Amino acid sequence: EKGGYDHFMLKEIYEQPHAILDTYRGRLLADQGIIRMAGIDQHLEKFVNANRIIIVACGTSWHAGLVAEYIFEDLARVPVEVEYASEFRYRNPIITDKDVLIAISQSGETADTLAAIKLAKEKGAFVFGVCNVVGSSIARETHAGAYTHAGPEIGVASTKAFTTQITILTLMALKLGKEKGEFSESKFHEYLAELENIPAKVQIALESNPLIEIIADVYKDSSNCLYLGRGYNFPVALEGALKLKEISYIHAEGYPAAEMKHGPIALIDEQMPVIVIATNKGHYEKVVSNIQEIKSRKGKIIAIVTEGDEQVKELADHVVEIPETIESLTPLLTTIPLQLLSYHIAVMRNCNVDQPRNLAKSVTVE
Ligand code: F6R
């Protein structure tokens, strides 16, 4: 049932090109220049007239929500707040009937996310679900929604759920931005065409696997690890750190790269591996200077770069290349080597990759 893979997690990592395709199949009609999503089409005025979007989720799904915050604000020009469901529901939040709440959940059963939905509904918000499990409690409790269609995710560490959540949220942001007239027809078409290239580019990103195994072997005995990213890739840094800690039990932290100098830089010495996402768009030069700061403190640098990169290659101890893409789509690619890195380190440490200690696949307790 693991399809020849040693673990479900690895199988699910490798399923991502296909899973992403399944997510946009029938929705992304690039040649016609259309994104078709029934759950949005039927409630378009709710989205277009929303004063803001509130995203609630937990864990990896919360990280997908953070990526979505960048995408929705950038493409659809609507204010977004991303909340841990457990914090949101208990703090007497301000919710009105002009708010759209998007709940993201792979399992569709997370108790805190479900409770946040009920609260938002009581206060009159329109509630939209992004779930993977069909017919799950969250899918039933929301006014409308879109399934990710990633297929069953068995490994406790979430992988394909994350990239397919980002895919669906990108489709939503593009659709809304187009509807609101936030960008040109040509930019819209450029996005649709590039989204269609993503599965093949994820496939290429997966080819870094042998290199990642070598890197994993070097750092498998580390006791700490720092993940840095900026912009769209800051949430990816958080997700990379979560993957490592949950399956390998190595303490890891994700940080916005520029925040490093406000504290975490004190941790850096020759024992500290620092994984830096340094793709060529957005804040490249800024990330390069962050890498220089790490290097001058003798930290070990593992950089995720765009293919053809030269500047970071000069500085980093290890460089993993991913294909070039539009900046807002880079999380779909930069995530891949980080998933593989945590996987290999956990295997090398003899950890139970698919069922890490103390964790459950769906958290139905509050
Ligand atoms: C991380 C992980 C958890 C879940 C979280 C939310 O790999 O699996 O952090 O992401 O428990 O679960 P869902 O998405 O089912 O609501």
Side-chain angles (χ1 to χ4, degrees), residues 232-265:
Y232 282 99
N233 284 296
F234 156 54
V236 175
L238 296 181
E239 173 60 8
L242 176 61
K243 286 288 88 89
L244 187 70
K245 62 190 137 189
E246 68 182 331
I247 61 168
S248 75
Y249 318 139
I250 294 174
H251 170 248
E253 281 191 75
Y255 252 90
E259 275 293 303
M260 185 181 66
K261 56 182 162 303
H262 300 285
I265 198 163

Side-chain angles (χ1 to χ4, degrees), residues 19 30 51 57 64 70 80 84 86 94 124 133 149 185 194 221 268 276 279 302 353-354 357 359:
N51 280 347
Y70 286 81
V80 177
Y84 284 118
S86 57
I94 298 164
V133 176
H149 298 307
E185 197 71 25
E194 185 55 13
D221 298 320
I268 295 177
V276 189
T279 46
I302 303 153
V353 172
D354 283 335
R357 67 186 183 202
L359 291 174

